[in-house]
């Protein structure tokens, strides 16, 4: 059984006069990392908000584990570009906020926290407040805050777009390590074709007005960097094919 099924989903914002997305069909599995790429304004973030349960489709349905998605849930976490961290809490308190609110046993929370602090390189910052951190460190906190919940689905909405190249590369490695250790379903939105090629086992191409899924392709270059593929003509042919789909 697929983890997530999206069937003929459409959504229109009130007063907009036009559909944002239309006839979206997707099937995603557990233990997969999927990248959605497409031009601005074609409904990528709208689709994530529907999966998260923040919005309800006017047409079609979304199901997780064969159950309809009807409201927001910690089982479907989302990391936004602005991170939305709590400035009055320190790093550890930010990370553990969700399970503390759900009354998860303290020992279990502390065990998960210790592992995540180590995996994200935040151990020496665990008592720091988020306003004392760089943008890259804040994104580590935002990732850890969602992974500590052990969600079935984790979504990232342009989460790394504001970071410099070196910090973004570090975040890619941290994300892949966390995903490898949890085996959940990760969905990443990006405008960056090379980020999509590196992070995505599956690359989902959205385009059109209203936005729809044009194609889903299996990525043979998953975890391959631009630099390592510089002499690989097949890589650049595949990259060009993706770019042509986005025009």
């Amino acid at each position: 059984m697929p983890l997530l099924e999206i069937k003929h989903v459409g959504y229109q914002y009130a007063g907009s006069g036009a559909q944002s997305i239309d006839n979206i069909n997707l099937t995603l599995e557990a233990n997969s990392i999927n990248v959605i790429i497409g031009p601005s304004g074609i409904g990528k973030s709208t689709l994530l908000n529907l999966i998260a349960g923040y919005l309800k489709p006017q047409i079609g349905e979304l199901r997780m584990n064969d159950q309809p998605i009807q409201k927001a849930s910690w089982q479907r976490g989302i990391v936004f570009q602005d991170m939305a961290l709590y400035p009055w809490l320190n790093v550890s308190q930010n990370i553990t906020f969700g399970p503390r609110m759900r009354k998860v046993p303290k020992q279990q929370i502390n065990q998960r926290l210790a592992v995540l602090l180590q995996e994200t390189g935040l151990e020496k910052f665990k008592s720091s407040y988020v306003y004392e951190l760089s943008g890259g460190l804040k994104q580590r906190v935002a990732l850890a805050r969602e992974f500590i919940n052990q969600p079935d689905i984790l979504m990232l909405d342009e989460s790394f777009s504001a970071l410099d190249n070196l910090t973004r590369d570090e975040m890619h490695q941290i994300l892949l390590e966390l995903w490898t250790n949890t085996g959940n379903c990760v969905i990443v939105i990006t405008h960056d074709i090379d980020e999509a090629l590196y992070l995505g086992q599956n690359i989902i191409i959205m385009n059109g007005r209203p936005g729809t899924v044009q194609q889903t392709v299996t990525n043979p270059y998953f975890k391959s960097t631009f630099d390592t593929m510089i002499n690989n003509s097949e890589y650049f042919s595949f990259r060009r094919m993706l770019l042509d789909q986005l025009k």
Side-chain angles (χ1 to χ4, degrees):
M1 182 186 302
L3 175 63
L4 177 69
E5 292 180 282
I6 302 173
K7 301 178 180 179
H8 307 295
V9 164
Y11 188 82
Q12 178 177 330
Y13 289 98
S16 66
Q19 288 279 105
S20 174
I21 59 173
D22 184 47
N23 198 30
I24 298 288
N25 292 278
L26 277 176
T27 300
L28 300 181
E29 306 287 344
N31 194 26
S32 67
I33 183 163
N34 312 274
V35 174
I36 301 175
I37 191 165
S40 297
I42 49 86
K44 301 187 299 297
S45 294
T46 299
L47 179 57
L48 285 201
N49 285 324
L50 286 161
I51 296 171
Y54 301 151
L55 301 175
K56 292 185 178 181
Q58 289 115 352
I59 303 170
E61 65 172 346
L62 299 94
R63 303 180 73 86
M64 189 178 85
N65 291 322
D66 204 32
Q67 299 298 313
I69 295 175
Q70 297 178 325
K71 61 181 180 180
S73 168
W74 60 269
Q75 295 172 326
R76 296 183 302 279
I78 187 164
V79 179
F80 297 101
Q81 183 179 343
D82 63 4
M83 295 164 282
L85 300 173
Y86 305 123
W88 59 89
L89 301 178
N90 66 28
V91 167
S92 294
Q93 291 166 337
N94 263 281
I95 294 172
T96 60
F97 183 83
R100 285 190 287 114
M101 293 301 101
R102 300 200 320 275
K103 309 297 184 185
V104 174
K106 187 175 181 179
Q107 182 180 3
Q108 190 174 342
I109 292 174
N110 289 337
Q111 288 174 344
R112 292 185 194 174
L113 174 64
V115 171
L116 281 167
L117 289 172
Q118 181 179 18
E119 290 179 334
T120 56
L122 288 169
E123 287 176 300
K124 66 179 181 180
F125 302 101
K126 62 183 179 181
S127 298
S128 300
Y129 287 88
V130 293
Y131 56 78
E132 300 175 306
L133 305 179
S134 66
L137 290 174
K138 289 177 182 177
Q139 276 294 8
R140 296 184 191 203
V141 176
L143 271 181
R145 186 177 65 175
E146 296 304 326
F147 269 102
I148 200 170
N149 292 314
Q150 300 179 329
D152 292 326
I153 298 174
L154 177 68
M155 295 165 278
L156 294 90
D157 190 358
E158 297 280 358
S159 301
F160 307 142
S161 62
L163 303 177
D164 62 79
N165 289 337
L166 180 60
T167 305
R168 186 185 300 184
D169 289 345
E170 292 174 348
M171 292 306 303
H172 289 167
Q173 297 306 315
I174 290 170
L175 173 62
L176 288 172
E177 181 178 352
L178 292 171
W179 166 72
T180 299
N181 292 338
T182 57
N184 58 2
C185 174
V186 173
I187 305 171
V188 179
I189 284 181
T190 183
H191 286 98
D192 188 324
I193 189 70
D194 295 306
E195 184 172 62
L197 282 163
Y198 184 72
L199 284 181
Q201 286 180 316
N202 306 299
I203 298 176
I204 300 159
I205 302 166
M206 286 186 66
N207 213 332
R209 295 286 192 276
T212 192
V213 173
Q214 288 197 335
Q215 189 177 5
T216 299
V217 296
T218 301
N219 177 18
Y221 303 103
F222 176 49
K223 296 185 182 180
S224 299
T225 65
F226 185 91
D227 289 341
T228 61
M229 293 289 106
I230 196 70
N231 295 315
N232 188 325
S233 60
E234 293 180 354
Y235 170 85
F236 282 96
S237 295
F238 186 75
R239 186 177 184 274
R240 172 53 59 188
M241 180 274 292
L242 295 177
L243 287 170
D244 288 344
Q245 291 290 321
L246 300 176
K247 291 181 180 179

